[in-house]
Amino acid sequence: MAARSLLIRKTLATVLRRDSAALGAPAAAHSRGLHTFTLPDLSYDYGALEPAISGEIMELHHKKHHQTYVTNYNKALEQLHDALPKGDASTIVKLQSAIKFNGGGHINHSIFWKNLAPVREGGGEPPKGSLGWAIDEHFGSFEKLVQKVNAEGAALQGSGWVWLGLDKELKRLVVETTANQDPLVTKGPGLVPLLGIDVWEHAYYLQYKNVRPDYLKNIWKVINWKYASEVYDNESS
């Protein structure tokens, strides 16, 4: 168990470095050789996902919440950059949780925006091709997958995420949940996120109040299965 935990922590560190650059916008600056991250642009307007998700929620979620994760991630990385040459072990250890939380928040939200699309651009269209076949094989049907994701997401205590992922080691699709802003990789180094749904209250409360199941029911109307299919094809080939 200790060896597996160490492997996951090392994998998480690698993913945080790699995916922050890949999923976020290009670096805004290089201060003393330090790579910094910026808030990624959306490919659609804030109101484009209505009525499933209101424009007000999208703007607050993107401009306020995600921006805060990016800001705090950069701050923690800068502090780590300063602490490492000094051998300041106490500060380095203290920064690990901030890097995991804010780096995870940046990674998860960058995936989340790509998992969504306006109806006029194909949002809500069921998955086709190899991913559609894999869903039928591993869950019985697309409808059963939706039921499972909704049930897992609704049952998640507190804040977190519900994921459809590809387990590259077992070569099968899985549904997992993660707490807070933990990326899917914290559940296993071989897990690749295809679809992540944010079930923090800030993702739905202004519109759906405390009725998370209604949010989960309606978000499928704007899920971008084209993006999930592209990731699946690339990672399963």
Side-chain angles (χ1 to χ4, degrees):
M1 289 297 292
R4 182 176 182 273
S5 178
L6 178 60
L7 175 61
I8 291 176
R9 288 200 299 271
K10 289 182 177 179
T11 304
L12 173 61
T14 301
V15 169
L16 287 174
R17 291 194 299 269
R18 182 195 67 202
D19 286 2
S20 291
L23 292 169
H30 287 265
S31 175
R32 294 169 295 159
L34 179 64
H35 189 92
T36 57
F37 301 97
T38 58
L39 183 70
D41 293 330
L42 300 186
S43 62
Y44 42 83
D45 295 334
Y46 289 129
L49 304 181
E50 292 184 346
I53 306 177
S54 74
E56 183 182 14
I57 286 178
M58 289 297 296
E59 184 170 6
L60 287 171
H61 200 170
H62 179 251
K63 290 174 66 175
K64 300 297 183 181
H65 292 280
H66 191 171
Q67 179 62 68
T68 298
Y69 297 128
V70 171
T71 299
N72 290 336
Y73 187 30
N74 285 329
K75 180 180 178 181
L77 289 175
E78 183 176 1
Q79 292 173 341
L80 180 64
H81 183 77
D82 291 338
L84 284 170
K86 301 174 184 177
D88 186 352
S90 178
T91 297
I92 292 170
V93 170
K94 289 178 181 178
L95 287 169
Q96 297 309 302
S97 60
I99 291 172
K100 179 183 178 183
F101 180 80
N102 292 292
H106 175 49
I107 290 172
N108 291 350
H109 283 85
S110 296
I111 295 171
F112 184 57
W113 309 134
K114 293 183 177 182
N115 281 152
L116 303 173
V119 173
R120 65 175 180 272
E121 296 177 14
E125 293 181 2
K128 302 175 183 177
S130 56
L131 178 56
W133 285 106
I135 288 172
D136 288 343
E137 178 183 355
H138 296 140
F139 299 102
S141 69
F142 173 67
E143 290 73 21
K144 289 182 179 179
L145 167 65
V146 171
Q147 291 172 6
K148 183 173 179 61
V149 170
N150 287 357
E152 295 281 349
L156 181 64
Q157 295 184 350
S159 301
W161 293 73
V162 58
W163 302 92
L164 171 65
L166 170 64
D167 189 323
K168 298 190 71 172
E169 295 180 357
L170 298 179
K171 300 185 185 302
R172 65 169 290 113
L173 299 177
V174 295
V175 171
E176 294 280 358
T177 60
T178 56
N180 300 314
Q181 293 298 346
D182 290 359
L184 181 59
V185 71
T186 58
K187 286 297 186 76
L191 295 178
V192 177
L194 305 178
L195 169 67
I197 298 178
D198 189 347
V199 293
W200 280 66
E201 284 192 343
H202 66 234
Y204 62 87
Y205 195 85
L206 286 176
Q207 184 173 359
Y208 294 98
K209 307 307 179 190
N210 63 332
V211 190
R212 185 190 290 177
D214 284 354
Y215 160 69
L216 289 167
K217 176 183 176 181
N218 285 313
I219 198 171
W220 296 100
K221 299 174 183 177
V222 290
I223 291 295
N224 182 11
W225 285 105
K226 293 179 182 178
Y227 172 76
S229 294
E230 289 173 1
V231 176
Y232 177 76
D233 289 342
N234 290 334
E235 294 290 344
S236 61
S237 58

